[in-house]
Amino acid sequence: MGIKDVALCCIARQEERYIQEWIDHHLLMGVKRIFIYDNGRGDEPVPTFDDERVEVIDWRDKEAAQCEAYAHCYRRHGHEYAWIGFIDVDEHVQVRQGETLTNYLNCMAAMKADVVLLNWRVMTDNGLTHYDPRPMKERFTEGTGEEFGINHHVKSFVRGGLTGLHFEVQPHVPSFKGKLKVVNAVGDDAILYPAIKPVHKVAWIDHYLTKTAEEYIGKIARGFINVTQEHNDHRKAHAIEHFFNINECSHKTVILCLR
């Protein structure tokens, strides 16, 4: 691969409905290689894709596996690409119209950036209740505003070739011994922390966090990848409250989905 190429790394569990759309979206944006760490259960087959640009790594039955997967990917491939992005299957990177992700990140490289932090734009359920097979970008078109609380969170694109980089603390941003030039989406200096003032200009991440109530209930049942079982139980207990913080609907919606 060329020194200006961009790769993506994600960890996934039972994302069959959504992952092909996610792959296609980012390949169209110029991503050259995608590494998918499959965190399914031991009795589930590891998915395969008929595309040499997509590599699946068997990461089944690992608990709190996200940081470990990200670190593993950067150790193996950080020297091969100009940038590696670390995002989830429910996150679609967007750049301003007419620009590729590759060109955008190479502009950041020209500014000597080591890490680019892209804010979430959490997408609402668009008033929908149940899953249907249309692409997510067609079903969910209404995003929350910049000042919506969790839009302060970010995901990272990390310049290749750095030494001493790891993801021991949490998966949104890397940890590093030394000094990195960290910027937000418009190239302004930022701190290496998973929450910064939202910027939905030039580049951002459309985060399909809940989708519909039916799909969100399924997501809760699958469990959260980046935490232990104890933390999983805690997050599940507050998941429905989280849903209603994002979406304007009544409790009847969730009841209908459980029928």
Side-chain angles (χ1 to χ4, degrees):
M1 294 295 175
I3 60 172
K4 293 185 179 296
D5 287 335
V6 176
L8 281 184
C9 175
C10 78
I11 186 167
R13 179 188 296 163
Q14 298 174 337
E15 296 281 4
E16 291 83 1
R17 282 178 170 177
Y18 315 106
I19 199 164
Q20 190 63 58
E21 180 186 354
W22 181 84
I23 290 169
D24 293 343
H25 171 81
H26 291 103
L27 290 178
L28 283 172
M29 294 186 72
V31 171
K32 293 296 185 182
R33 186 78 167 172
I34 295 176
F35 302 101
I36 299 171
Y37 284 72
D38 177 58
N39 191 229
R41 307 306 182 192
D43 58 349
E44 297 172 1
V46 175
T48 58
F49 298 91
D50 189 21
D51 192 319
E52 63 182 11
R53 294 170 294 181
V54 180
E55 179 180 341
V56 180
I57 299 91
D58 187 350
W59 216 246
R60 290 175 294 180
D61 290 324
K62 293 180 182 288
E63 191 176 83
Q66 192 167 20
C67 288
E68 185 183 351
Y70 285 1
H72 180 267
C73 185
Y74 196 83
R75 285 196 305 271
R76 288 179 64 198
H77 302 291
H79 62 288
E80 299 173 349
Y81 298 92
W83 296 90
I84 299 183
F86 298 90
I87 64 174
D88 296 334
V89 177
D90 61 359
E91 298 170 342
H92 288 201
V93 178
Q94 305 290 350
V95 295
R96 60 189 168 193
Q97 189 173 5
E99 187 168 1
T100 67
L101 179 59
T102 304
N103 288 342
Y104 164 72
L105 288 171
N106 285 327
C107 287
M108 296 294 105
M111 299 171 65
K112 308 300 182 183
D114 295 309
V115 179
V116 178
L117 305 180
L118 300 185
N119 284 102
W120 283 345
R121 182 176 74 142
V122 173
M123 309 302 288
T124 73
D125 64 3
N126 265 65
L128 301 174
T129 302
H130 295 284
Y131 168 79
D132 72 65
R134 289 177 297 155
M136 288 189 294
K137 65 181 180 181
E138 294 181 12
R139 292 194 290 148
F140 311 114
T141 58
E142 298 176 9
T144 52
E146 282 193 351
E147 293 308 314
F148 183 70
I150 58 176
N151 284 338
H152 287 71
H153 287 287
V154 297
K155 286 296 182 71
S156 306
F157 278 81
V158 181
R159 185 170 61 81
L162 302 176
T163 57
L165 183 138
H166 55 90
F167 286 87
E168 288 181 3
V169 180
Q170 50 82 40
H172 285 244
V173 298
S175 300
F176 189 76
K177 293 181 179 179
K179 188 174 182 180
L180 294 174
K181 182 173 176 58
V182 183
V183 301
N184 67 7
V186 294
D188 295 336
D189 288 341
I191 58 173
L192 193 59
Y193 189 72
I196 62 174
K197 182 177 175 58
V199 179
H200 294 164
K201 300 174 183 176
V202 187
W204 66 93
I205 293 173
D206 281 347
H207 189 188
Y208 301 97
L209 179 58
T210 67
K211 307 178 185 72
T212 64
E214 176 188 34
E215 292 164 275
Y216 191 56
I217 289 168
K219 177 178 181 176
I220 296 167
R222 291 196 300 273
F224 300 94
I225 287 173
N226 62 321
V227 295
T228 64
Q229 186 58 51
E230 180 182 356
H231 288 148
N232 237 318
D233 294 341
H234 174 77
R235 290 180 67 172
K236 285 182 179 181
H238 296 278
I240 296 302
E241 176 186 350
H242 195 45
F243 179 90
F244 289 113
N245 285 337
I246 296 169
N247 301 296
E248 296 181 4
C249 55
S250 72
H251 285 73
K252 292 180 180 179
T253 303
V254 175
I255 295 171
L256 285 170
C257 291
L258 292 172
R259 288 180 178 175

